[in-house]
Amino acid sequence: MPGVRQVALTVTDVDRSVPWYERVLGFATAVHEDQPGLRKAFLDGFGITLTLVQHIGAERASFDESRPGLDHLTFHVDELPSWESRLAEYGVPFTVETDEIAVRDPDGILLALRSTP
């Protein structure tokens, strides 16, 4: 397998999450898709398609990386200092470790920006 092409994340509100992923992480929205009980947005960036999925009427539990499912998602970046500046500019809380920045999206999904492969 040459790599991952698509990752889908369940979010509580596609209309809130899409602008955050575009503005903060630089994704570009390719397609919006509405189906009965389901809304999706397909975003391109970091060499993958990130699909944000909203299940209409579903219980809105907080993200918890300790439950089975997604723990976190890591994106490879070149320059951590420029990402620190970008996140600070947008008022997005983050923590910095040696080669990684940890940030949470509007639903609390843990994302990491890592400078080494």
Side-chain angles (χ1 to χ4, degrees), residues 5-56:
R5 178 66 191 123
Q6 180 180 19
V7 174
L9 300 176
T10 298
V11 298
T12 57
D13 185 346
V14 166
D15 293 332
R16 176 182 68 172
S17 295
V18 166
W20 189 91
Y21 278 90
E22 289 174 335
R23 180 176 36 101
V24 174
L25 296 183
F27 277 88
T29 301
V31 177
H32 280 273
E33 183 181 291
D34 290 335
Q35 303 169 3
L38 197 66
R39 298 186 68 218
K40 293 182 182 180
F42 299 87
L43 295 84
D44 293 323
F46 294 92
I48 64 166
T49 297
L50 180 66
T51 305
L52 302 178
V53 182
Q54 178 183 349
H55 298 270
I56 306 299

